[in-house]
Amino acid sequence: MDATVTKRWLLARLYEPEQTIVDCRFTLGKPEAGRESYEQEHIPGAVYLDLEHDLSSPVGEHGGRHPLPDPQVLAARLAKLGIGNGSRIVAYDDESGMNAARLWWLLRYLGHENVFILEGGFSAWKAEKFPVTDHQPVRVPSTFATNIQPQMLADVGEVRLQKASAASSSASPALPVLIDSRAGERYQGKEETLDKKAGHIPGAVNYFWKNTQNEDGSYKSSEQLEEHFAGLDKDAEIIVYCGSGVTACPNILALEKAGYRKVRLYAGSWSDWISYEENPIATGEE
């Protein structure tokens, strides 16, 4: 099954007991807005997970603006919400799926594959006049055991090695491809509103994450995405990053939908890379 589900698919399964719907709405710069929106109205039965409080750990000197949460802390939070290893999770937001994709990636990293993203998000659901409520469900705690998938993750050391090998005359042709998921202006270093330095990791190629979606917020078809990523070798190892490890996740989803299987997330992303003064920075096109 695809990693995304339609509004009508969810409507038909809205009250199935093995399912948990998760509201992931969050607005950068307005950290309370997502929870306030959830408390005002949400899809019936949905619980809320906050990007910064639940799906990230506290910011430190390194690790970027949204460091990955401690797996056991996240597992305990999921269990408290009644999410167990037998649960089917459907996540949504109102930010083109970027926060829902963060939860999708995190759950798979914890070893839980039965997770999906609602195409179009909350506004599209409401526009169809599908049910919404302000009632917050009472959830019976469950048990969530982790099975960490380390092959899904890349750290700054691996990215440095990749860049060092790429600069070497003896570089292997099988080096990982580094993808920057941010908008072209940020990748090129023409503007930067979120991080202290502008530019990109040297050698990275730019595939803006929103270009994987249609205007209605649904993902493009597998065939369209294959065409979008046509410049990439399907057998290549790919490391994906963005500003803080959030919008890289929808790009990872799109790459997998297009048939790429060796895809990893550089979780700290650009905001982690620039926290090391010795790391080089590139601008312009590659």
Side-chain angles (χ1 to χ4, degrees), residues 31 109 150 160 163 175 181-182 186 194 198 216 226 247-248:
Y109 176 64
R160 282 173 175 160
K163 302 326 301 168
L175 283 171
S181 304
R182 299 171 300 163
R186 292 182 68 198
L194 295 172
D216 64 358
E226 283 192 71
T247 59

Side-chain angles (χ1 to χ4, degrees), residues 152-256:
M152 293 175 58
L153 190 62
D155 61 22
V156 65
E158 291 176 276
V159 177
R160 282 173 175 160
L161 286 172
Q162 193 268 351
K163 302 326 301 168
S165 297
S168 170
S169 59
S170 60
S172 166
L175 283 171
V177 176
L178 194 59
I179 289 180
D180 187 312
S181 304
R182 299 171 300 163
E185 293 77 9
R186 292 182 68 198
Y187 166 81
Q188 294 171 27
K190 293 180 178 179
E191 65 174 47
E192 183 54 67
T193 58
L194 295 172
D195 293 307
K196 295 179 179 179
K197 296 179 182 179
H200 61 266
I201 300 173
V205 292
N206 185 217
Y207 285 89
F208 183 35
W209 70 279
K210 282 194 174 182
N211 291 340
T212 64
Q213 299 178 1
N214 299 306
E215 289 185 7
D216 64 358
S218 63
Y219 279 85
K220 294 178 179 178
S221 68
S222 298
E223 293 75 20
Q224 289 173 311
L225 290 170
E226 283 192 71
E227 184 177 351
H228 175 67
F229 293 118
L232 303 175
D233 182 351
K234 281 198 174 178
D235 292 325
E237 299 246 359
I238 298 173
I239 299 174
V240 187
Y241 77 92
C242 57
S244 66
V246 177
T247 59
C249 294
N251 241 357
I252 291 173
L253 187 155
L255 281 159
E256 292 189 4

Side-chain angles (χ1 to χ4, degrees), residues 8 67 128 132 140 146 202 223 250 258 279:
R8 292 194 177 278
E128 293 278 357
V132 298
V140 177
T146 63
E223 293 75 20
N279 283 346

